[in-house]
Amino acid sequence: MVSRVIPVDPFDLIIFGGTGDLAQRKILPALYRRFCAGQWHEDAKIIAAARSGHSAEDFRRMVAESLHRHASARDSQALIRFLQRVDYVPLDAMSTAGWELLGEKLSPNRVRAFYFSVGPSLFGSLAKRVRAYNLATEDTRIVVEKPFGHDLDSARELNATLAAHFDENQIYRIDHYLGKETVQNLMAVRFGNMLFEPLWNSQYVDHIQITVAETVGIAGREEYYERAGAMRDMMQNHLMQLLCLIAMEPPAKFDPDAVRDEKLKVIRALDPVEPHHIVRGQFAAGPDGPGYRECVGNPRSTTESYVALKAHISNWRWAGTPFYLRTGKRLVARSSVINVMFKDAPHSIFGEEAGRHANALSIRLQPNEGITLKVTIKEPGQGGMRLIDVPLDMSFAEALGPENQDPPDAYERLVMDVIRGNQTLFMRGDEVEAAWAWTDPIIAGWLARGDVPKPYDSGSTGPGDAELLMKRDGRHWQGIKP
Ligand code: BG6
């Protein structure tokens, strides 16, 4: 199966912070891949803007090197044509320098997207200057990255700052998890099949597990991470978005506000989390490297690199079904998976000796994307009616063919959606605020109690207390497998 490429209209994409890591590692490689796929027009322009006084030629050399490293750019003809579309303007977000020149480079009557690939402290001055220099047209969008705030107050402030200059329908807040092919597939699996939806509620589902495990540490991001921790870095956004997609009501249509309204309802229906339903962890030194505290150079750091919690959604569909969420760094394997654990059959006609069996649906988001449904069958052969569980296993790569082995990077989809003007996979301001409103009391509780995260071995499945969190409820985590 080959994906269909729907070309987008000509655009000017302005990347503030164009020399930065995100632009070089993610945004420009994503644009390059879409260019090679023929999705955007040869007239489109990418204008990077940053403080360094590079010439456009120097900048193109830098981009060529990044594309070589991050997009295996080898086809020199395509690379040359792509680089012809790339320009550079030295510009200062905080002063007048460079803004008029940027204005001169923009074309009239086409989509203009301003990508704020900079820290949130610059969002306000950039938004103000884009307006003050009359760079915004009818067809203008702005794109901002996480972290969108540090807590509810700062997120509100950022929303207000952006709202002073742009309408909500011009603001694209990125959570790159929403751009992942398999995360979008969650909606397709749920709402494209008759099979699952009737069972998708507390009457049939015992509990749901959402795991985002990483093997990486925090190298190169120590300062940011020490202030954020796993709760702010992953739980408040990526895991929250997964929870929303798994738990939301079917939207009437696949349209930005219909989808985001339903997600918002889930976040607003989340109960506050009880302190004894949360486990924080911090990785200790192991054979593959130093411990968290050594990494950040703070022997007393109480920042968590792991968090596991039990959440409840108080609504008709989910009352009584717990959601267990966990995420951590330096764990045994990289694995993002959602396990929907169904209840036991109400009565076993096979008697006690057949044991207890329940169905489970695993949706593997990365790596080895696919779906497994655990079903119960008779153990073959003589010896009475003995039951065993077997997996109905579908790997998307196998089912869809080798050309779908490597799903496109999330940024490819998201950047093209910005140009197309489709906000479905972007967070709305009220969604972000609601997520912080749920997260803030958890973090405030840790601070008030002087909570210290539990150490866990690098390369393990996380702190033992996370196992206890499940065990107390008579449940257990599914293994973290690559
Ligand atoms: C980022 C977090 O948003 O997501 C990182 O800041 C994390 O800490 C990353 O490693 C995980 O993304 P992915 O796409 O590798 O699962």
Side-chain angles (χ1 to χ4, degrees):
M1 243 162 279
V2 180
S3 60
R4 244 176 357 128
V5 173
I6 305 173
V8 295
D9 291 339
F11 60 85
D12 283 353
L13 174 69
I14 302 91
I15 311 177
F16 295 119
T19 51
D21 179 63
L22 179 73
Q24 298 291 322
R25 204 163 42 81
K26 290 286 181 186
I27 307 169
L28 287 156
L31 284 159
Y32 173 70
R33 288 196 204 97
R34 291 295 90 208
F35 177 77
C36 293
Q39 191 158 18
W40 55 272
H41 210 269
E42 297 264 346
D43 301 347
K45 258 190 300 191
I46 299 165
I47 304 169
R51 267 210 307 214
S52 8
H54 294 299
S55 67
E57 236 4 87
D58 291 343
F59 182 73
R60 284 187 203 109
R61 262 195 294 276
M62 177 190 231
V63 175
E65 205 174 293
S66 298
L67 295 181
H68 183 65
R69 192 156 350 123
H70 302 293
S72 318
R74 285 192 200 95
D75 174 352
S76 56
Q77 273 315 311
L79 185 59
I80 290 167
R81 282 186 9 253
F82 176 82
L83 292 174
Q84 283 165 352
R85 313 311 316 148
V86 175
D87 202 349
Y88 181 79
V89 177
L91 172 144
D92 186 352
M94 307 298 284
S95 78
T96 55
W99 287 89
E100 273 171 14
L101 178 61
L102 174 62
E104 286 162 21
K105 291 190 180 264
L106 299 177
S107 324
N109 307 325
R110 57 162 66 175
V111 172
R112 262 182 210 176
F114 293 93
Y115 202 128
F116 293 7
S117 178
V118 294
S121 59
L122 293 181
F123 289 178
S125 28
L126 285 174
K128 190 171 98 191
R129 286 187 171 78
V130 167
R131 279 285 174 209
Y133 285 87
N134 274 327
L135 305 185
T137 58
E138 282 283 283
D139 240 346
T140 287
R141 284 126 221 198
I142 60 161
V143 188
V144 294
E145 279 282 341
K146 82 173 251 276
F148 197 83
H150 188 72
D151 54 16
L152 178 57
D153 287 346
S154 53
R156 277 193 179 135
E157 215 174 294
L158 281 178
N159 274 337
T161 305
L162 296 179
H165 305 284
F166 296 95
D167 293 338
E168 180 62 33
N169 63 14
Q170 297 180 292
I171 304 172
Y172 289 69
R173 295 176 194 79
I174 288 198
D175 180 315
H176 79 280
Y177 264 56
L178 290 175
K180 288 182 189 273
E181 193 72 12
T182 43
V183 173
Q184 292 162 59
N185 213 354
L186 283 179
M187 284 184 274
V189 168
R190 280 196 61 195
F191 305 128
N193 292 289
M194 191 56 201
L195 189 63
F196 301 120
E197 199 51 28
L199 305 179
W200 214 259
N201 56 54
S202 60
Q203 199 183 337
Y204 299 102
V205 177
D206 177 72
H207 72 281
I208 291 181
Q209 303 184 10
I210 302 180
T211 298
V212 178
E214 297 184 279
T215 49
V216 292
I218 50 153
R221 311 165 69 216
E222 293 81 358
E223 202 187 318
Y224 153 76
Y225 199 87
E226 180 65 350
R227 277 181 289 113
M231 192 70 197
R232 290 189 175 96
D233 183 51
M234 296 292 288
M235 189 64 81
Q236 184 270 347
N237 39 77
H238 305 326
L239 278 90
M240 177 68 84
Q241 290 296 324
L242 298 179
L243 173 71
C244 286
L245 297 177
I246 272 292
M248 71 184 185
E249 295 301 315
K253 48 187 171 175
F254 190 55
D255 138 310
D257 280 329
V259 171
R260 297 185 301 175
D261 286 347
E262 294 307 334
K263 289 198 294 168
L264 179 62
K265 286 185 209 160
V266 172
I267 308 176
R268 290 198 173 146
L270 277 168
D271 288 349
V273 182
E274 304 278 342
H276 61 285
H277 288 163
I278 312 181
V279 176
R280 291 171 88 209
Q282 193 184 62
F283 62 82
D288 56 340
Y292 179 87
R293 291 179 172 184
E294 205 178 319
C295 292
V296 294
N298 175 5
R300 282 210 265 278
S301 169
T302 56
T303 300
E304 77 287 349
S305 58
Y306 175 100
V307 61
L309 57 84
K310 175 159 81 159
H312 283 284
I313 300 173
S314 279
N315 64 15
W316 270 58
R317 186 187 282 263
W318 294 119
T321 295
F323 287 74
Y324 297 90
L325 280 60
R326 65 178 165 169
T327 183
K329 304 251 181 235
R330 285 282 206 77
L331 295 178
V332 59
R334 176 171 182 256
S335 167
S336 300
V337 55
I338 298 175
N339 291 298
V340 181
M341 312 300 291
F342 290 92
K343 291 187 174 171
D344 292 354
H347 164 70
S348 171
I349 64 167
F350 306 109
E352 285 295 306
E353 60 281 12
R356 293 177 57 187
H357 297 271
N359 300 119
L361 177 72
S362 300
I363 307 169
R364 295 186 302 277
L365 305 174
Q366 61 185 25
N368 188 19
E369 295 80 358
I371 291 184
T372 305
L373 180 63
K374 192 180 84 175
V375 289
T376 303
I377 59 164
K378 176 187 175 298
E379 198 175 325
Q382 305 291 325
M385 184 58 98
R386 283 166 291 123
L387 302 184
I388 50 165
D389 295 328
V390 291
L392 271 180
D393 202 349
M394 183 179 74
S395 138
F396 293 151
E398 271 173 35
L400 303 177
E403 61 278 21
N404 288 288
Q405 196 89 33
D406 293 317
D409 185 79
Y411 279 85
E412 294 181 46
R413 149 71 55 141
L414 295 175
V415 177
M416 289 299 104
D417 275 0
V418 169
I419 306 301
R420 266 192 286 260
N422 184 343
Q423 288 184 304
T424 312
L425 302 177
F426 296 83
M427 293 180 298
R428 213 168 50 192
D430 49 5
E431 242 185 287
V432 179
E433 289 184 15
W436 280 119
W438 178 78
T439 311
D440 276 3
I442 297 175
I443 297 174
W446 291 336
L447 284 176
R449 291 190 299 277
D451 190 272
V452 177
K454 300 277 185 306
Y456 61 92
D457 292 341
S458 289
S460 70
T461 55
D465 283 16
E467 298 299 332
L468 284 179
L469 175 73
M470 279 282 197
K471 224 175 178 172
R472 281 201 302 261
D473 295 343
R475 301 182 173 113
H476 61 91
W477 291 106
Q478 299 296 296
I480 299 179
K481 297 186 209 105

